[in-house]
Amino acid sequence: MKKELGIYVHIPFCVRKCDYCDFLSFPAGEEAKERYVQALIDEIKSVKAQMQDYEVPTIFLGGGTPSILRANQIRRIMDALAENFTVHKEAEISMEMNPGTYSPREMQELMQGIGLHPNRISIGLQSASNEELKGLGRIHTYEDFLETYRGLRAAGITNINVDLMSAIPGQTLKGWETTLEKIAALGPEHISAYSLIVEEGTPFAEKQLDLPDEDTERLIYERTGEILEQNDYQRYEISNYARPGYACRHNISYWKRENYLGLGLGSASLVENVRWNNTKDMEMYLANTKEPQSLRQDIEVLTDQEQMEEFMFLGLRMMEGIGVKAFQETFGDEIEDVYGEILEELYREGLLVKTNDRIALTGRGIDISNYVMAKFLF
Amino acid sequence: MNQDKIRNFCIIAHIDHGKSTLADRIIEKTGLLTEREMQSQVLDNMDLERERGITIKAQTVRTVYKARDGEEYVFNLIDTPGHVDFNYEVSRSLAACDGAILVVDAAQGIEAQTLANVYLALDHDLDVFPVINKIDLPSADPERVVEEIEDVIGIEAQDAPLISAKTGLNVEEVLEAIVAKIPAPKGDPDAPLKALIFDSVYDSYKGVIIFCRVKEGRVTRGTSIRMMATGAKVDVVEVGYFGAGQFIPCEELSAGMVGYITGSIKNVKDARVGDTVTNDERPCAEPLPGYKKVNPMVYCGLYPADGAKYPDLRDALEKLQLNDASLQYEPETSVALGFGFRCGFLGLLHLEIIQERLEREYNLDLVTTAPSVIYKVHKTNGELIELTNPSNLPDPSEIDYMEEPMVSAEIMVTTEFIGPIMTLCQERRGQYMSTEYIETTRALLRYHLPLNEIIYDFFDALKSRSRGYASFDYELIGYERSELVKLDILVNREEVDALSFIVFSGTAYERGRKMCEKLKEEIPRQLFEIPIQAAVGSKIIARETVKAMRKDVLAKCYGGDISRKRKLLEKQKEGKKRMRQVGNVEIPQKAFMSVLKLDED
């Protein structure tokens, strides 16, 4: 049997960069986008030789805004992946899409025909309040989102994620509840609910922001779980909720430290316990995609200790937590021998709980997950 | 060497008025040094000094100048430290000179420190001649500065060279003035040896190198010498003089000369600044006047952030003390901080320098406790305690009364800031003495202040309340009786001994409140709520609460970029490393020092 390798494809373009955004993304003209698509296809062809032993269970087109590319450009990327990799028949193929970027016609075009096409769409909505959207520097309205959502359903997409963001400027508890309820009523298969992080170097970092106070933020966060669970969404990861059977397989592979290959500018990879990132320099990327090795930077061969650390701090993001036996099978050491003391402390503090073979965060542990996870670093 | 052809002098100036730059130009123009050998500032060779723009350890250079009269003169330029903490060192360096160049910035004019140093020089009967520097600045006003020098200091300044040490403009005039205005040394070379130690450094090959000015007699290799105050005796191995950045051995040092002596002296404590070197077989009758053993004025606890580094800290302090006789330390234990040392310093700058050197040169991570002055505690049983560590204060019932050290301070300030500066001095319990107008826009304020009020952040407060214009100098004038109490800080109901300090009872409440507020900012949230209290005796006078840790932000996954997450967690973990466990609360290292800066609002 072949080994598995998820694929992430980065599209570093957007119409306008949002005021909070810290991702590798920028506006670009049609010509620049086409050059990039061509380069990406070259990179796919060039890595083929190195990846013959693998088959691909998941693909994720992220950004930026992948839907800034025309449908036929996405199709060409898909075709290149199909030609050069062994992609599972049942593969999960996710694509991020911003409201209002595709016309219903284009959505149809994207999904039709033989060959690979996205079967899971992640819509970057963030809020159902137009005022809040404006405050974030988003260029779409809630109505744009509804149109896109309906267009996707009409095009036959049966797996949709909606990204929501809490703790944003001007947000009240009521406002957040309204957003959640509206979306839950719409019934996407998956909802991601993150909180805003004001990152250095973004316009938000420069501004006086009217952010919800701590108590509101706390309530917002509690209500998220309650409302979504009432609506049949199950929390499977710190910030991700899904209807049964619709958890995002690609994201789970990150938490389980499965192999994944990043393609495109600035993308991250983990293959056989080696991590690297592609260059973030567009000129360099465009000039060298035929030699993918030369794009790779920050190459890190993970030590056993680093692998154990990751196993813990990534695995604990999932509500099912980590497996005691899986740890032993992966590293040959008993988890008790490596982390016994820390685990005891965290059980005692009520932040972790052990049930049979699994160790997972408690509700309180989820609240302060960074505190818990930092404990597992050597 | 003919005494007529020797000039021993120093340069005195306020910080930034260009002392080191002028010294460099003098060295350059006297031609002993090629351009290539010139470091940007030859005299300041410690990194730390360069960064701070001040000279800490005195250094000395001998150069040869061929004057316009065709004769060669030996210049011994004796460097002086430029900070009030090192006043005694300054006074000994001055005692080694026969004259001084006063450098005054053509735009800034006279500053408090300039005055203090000039008076010190005049006290040592030095001939002082002024030089007006930075005349190339657009804001230069040399005529006003000339008047100011004549009015305030009372020395002739009409023919002061107007120079730019930076560009080298008119520096030759300074060289000629040195020949003409600095008197040649006197002293009988055939009398018994009498030499003044004005500095010493420890060298791992040569042992202690004594910097001295020979006042009378002579010293050569093999002379048996004795330090008259410490009694240390040794046979001279080498004598020589100071090239720029190097020691140049010579046959003999005789009356009037400045140079160095080595023997096998193992500790700078044996060759203290101010002591007199004499010939053990033919001693002089009396030592030179003015020797005193300098005593620390400020004490604080130094603890390794990592308890296991205690022996490293001990070794590092031992090594630093080899070169710095004024640094004192003894082991102490703190409940909060474990094993460390109570260290004595000449002042807060000295403390900071030592702390930085320990951190940089010895790679130690330190926790510093609140600096304290020496209080005199008179007990009811008649016993007198000199208290350097607030934790050792006896029970109030055993105390009759306490005294604290006082300083006389001179603050030079432009008139528009007199109000705010007087307010500051009042807040710091200053007793107003006098105001003297230097000119219409500037005044000299005199205050008596408790030393304990100026060792924390007085200088910073002074600068911020005068937009940087005020300058400041002080000297110790003795002890005064005062109402003092010990302020304790309780974190999660446990007293943190390292945070206790002695405070004037009238300001205890205010101090306590501010400390609690500051600590609330510094102590990160933990799993449970933490009360922070200030107490005098058993009475709680202020309280703040650090709320329990609530929640972390729910972060997005950055397309599988795990390194971001790892960095975040590592930062969190690093933060924890720099914390001290007190009871079950973790207190960041910097909280111990930051509580001293309470004047920032």
Side-chain angles (χ1 to χ4, degrees), chain A residues 22-23 163 194-195 199 214-215 217 260 275 306 309 317 349 364 367-371 377, chain B residues 525 527 549-560 562 564-566 568-570 572-573:
Chain A
D22 189 29
F23 283 62
D163 266 350
Y194 300 104
S195 42
E199 300 276 8
E214 192 181 66
D215 291 325
E217 205 187 324
Y260 55 89
R275 290 197 181 276
E306 285 166 334
E309 291 170 346
R317 289 186 68 106
E349 290 175 335
R364 178 80 178 122
D367 288 354
I368 51 172
S369 60
N370 285 344
Y371 170 85
L377 299 189
Chain B
R525 294 179 164 202
L527 293 179
M549 202 190 312
R550 282 291 185 70
K551 63 180 267 310
D552 300 321
V553 265
L554 304 175
K556 203 169 164 72
C557 162
Y558 296 90
I562 301 308
R564 279 180 84 130
K565 183 75 185 169
R566 175 181 279 279
L568 178 88
L569 296 177
E570 272 166 0
Q572 178 140 353
K573 170 127 181 157

Side-chain angles (χ1 to χ4, degrees), chain B residues 7 9 22-31 63-68 73 75 77 101 129 131 161 163 168 170-182:
Chain B
R7 296 293 180 273
F9 63 97
L22 177 59
D24 288 352
R25 286 301 95 79
I26 291 175
I27 293 163
E28 205 177 50
K29 302 256 178 197
T30 45
T63 66
V64 177
Y65 173 57
K66 190 156 190 196
R68 285 177 195 152
Y73 291 85
F75 285 181
L77 168 52
I101 305 172
F129 78 87
V131 165
I163 68 160
N170 293 339
V171 171
E172 282 82 359
E173 282 185 43
V174 179
L175 299 176
E176 286 298 316
I178 292 168
V179 173
K181 295 189 173 177
I182 308 275

Side-chain angles (χ1 to χ4, degrees), chain A residues 13-20 27 64-65 67-68 97-102 124-127 129-145 148:
Chain A
F13 305 118
C14 49
V15 180
R16 175 189 178 281
K17 203 166 165 89
C18 300
D19 293 348
Y20 56 87
T65 309
S67 59
I68 201 169
M97 185 175 285
N98 266 357
T101 43
Y102 277 178
L125 170 62
Q126 316 312 348
S127 168
S129 149
N130 285 335
E131 212 171 310
E132 286 175 9
L133 288 174
K134 220 170 138 189
L136 289 172
R138 305 281 299 178
I139 51 167
H140 59 83
T141 62
Y142 181 59
E143 291 68 34
D144 292 335
F145 159 77
T148 298

Side-chain angles (χ1 to χ4, degrees), chain B residues 110 148 150 169 177 204 245 265 320 323 327 365 371 384 481 518 523 526 537:
Chain B
I110 293 171
E148 210 175 272
E150 296 194 331
L169 178 70
S204 41
I265 310 167
L320 285 181
N323 249 331
L327 169 67
D365 214 352
L384 171 68
R481 190 166 168 160
K518 195 86 184 180
I523 298 179
Q526 290 167 37

Side-chain angles (χ1 to χ4, degrees), chain A residues 151-170:
Chain A
L152 288 170
R153 288 299 193 210
I157 293 289
T158 57
N159 189 353
I160 297 182
N161 167 56
V162 178
D163 266 350
L164 297 176
M165 195 185 283
S166 66
I168 59 183

